[in-house]
Amino acid sequence: MVEEPDLDLSRRLALALDVDDLVAAVRMARMLKGHFGVVKIGLELYSAAGPEAIGAIGDLGYEVFVDLKLHDIPTTVAGASRVIGSLGVSYLTMHAAGGLDMLRAGVDGLRTGAGNAGLSEPAGLAVTVLTSQSDPSGGTLGRWVELAAAAGCTGVVCAARDQAEVDRHGPGLARVVAGIRLPGDPADDQKRAASPGEALAGGADLIVVGRSVTRAADPLAAADRLHRAILGADDNPTHRRD
């Protein structure tokens, strides 16, 4: 068992709290503090608790990752991003399918909201092809990555196997990898799942882990297993991004 979580590693791990109860979310986040440096608030928790969830998780000392996959007209996305940027979040997602103007509006909104509140600018992340979908075809992934770069996004959300193509089309963009499963865990609805070691071997800057930990019989033991699974690969330098 990992007695003391590796804090440098924890900063690269985001806990996906996909629940509809803020009390349960805070309880889980408090239990796993130290194993994760970031908490992802998705549609389910945000729909249940709204901005209160951001404050409650932030108060525990986590970086907050708001995963709403905004996709609307540029004016609407700019306004929503401006509000969320003022709340002290570290990350916000927008869907790359919304196009260049929408992504740019989201990035500008985040900058304005954070600036008005005297906060650091959050990272605007463009969601590409979901990990619940089959492998992209027809150049979709590359086009969306190029849009993200042109719009000024900090990074993209992608599958582990997409990282090399992300680098080709958007060098310098941070890679946030979803669809993570511990070895032996069911893939559930994920068609392009990967292990944490595979994601880091591809150069992921941040990996998002949800059900493998949150739905485990013992979430704390599962979080320890996650750290062991990654640190066990540390003798292999290929998982480090230069």
Side-chain angles (χ1 to χ4, degrees):
M1 176 172 286
V2 176
E3 296 181 0
E4 292 293 335
D6 185 307
L7 297 183
D8 287 334
L9 174 59
S10 298
R11 294 185 185 97
R12 298 177 69 185
L13 302 178
L15 176 66
L17 287 179
D18 295 321
V19 298
D20 63 2
D21 183 329
L22 182 55
V23 172
V26 168
R27 184 182 301 122
M28 181 75 70
R30 186 177 288 119
M31 177 197 308
L32 298 174
K33 188 77 174 75
H35 288 81
F36 296 87
V38 181
V39 164
K40 184 176 81 72
I41 296 171
L43 284 169
E44 189 173 3
L45 182 55
Y46 195 82
S47 296
E52 184 180 353
I54 296 172
I57 296 300
D59 286 347
L60 295 176
Y62 285 98
E63 289 189 278
V64 179
F65 177 165
V66 178
D67 182 24
L68 299 183
K69 300 179 179 69
L70 298 177
H71 188 177
D72 211 313
I73 63 172
T75 298
T76 298
V77 170
S81 298
R82 185 173 61 252
V83 171
I84 293 171
S86 72
L87 299 177
V89 307
S90 295
Y91 306 89
L92 173 67
T93 59
M94 303 162 277
H95 206 297
L100 177 62
D101 289 345
M102 190 212 77
L103 291 173
R104 187 175 286 145
V107 170
D108 290 344
L110 279 173
R111 182 181 301 114
T112 299
N116 289 344
L119 301 170
S120 299
E121 182 180 345
L125 301 175
V127 175
T128 59
V129 181
L130 300 179
T131 51
S132 60
Q133 296 176 307
S134 301
D135 285 321
S137 60
T140 298
L141 176 62
R143 288 195 300 272
W144 284 353
V145 171
E146 289 170 3
L147 287 178
C153 292
T154 302
V156 300
V157 181
C158 64
R161 67 180 69 172
D162 294 339
Q163 293 187 87
E165 188 168 357
V166 168
D167 262 0
R168 284 196 296 272
H169 292 273
L173 287 176
R175 286 172 277 168
V176 177
V177 175
I180 299 299
R181 292 291 183 274
L182 286 168
D185 284 353
D188 300 308
D189 55 359
Q190 301 297 307
K191 293 184 178 178
R192 299 187 298 138
S195 72
E198 290 169 334
L200 290 175
D205 296 281
L206 183 70
I207 64 173
V208 181
V209 184
R211 284 172 277 188
S212 278
V213 170
T214 60
R215 295 192 183 178
D218 184 341
L220 187 56
D224 281 347
R225 182 178 165 224
L226 170 66
H227 274 241
R228 291 200 309 273
I230 296 171
L231 293 173
D234 265 8
D235 289 336
N236 179 357
T238 61
H239 90 278
R240 302 185 183 94
R241 188 178 185 183
D242 294 331

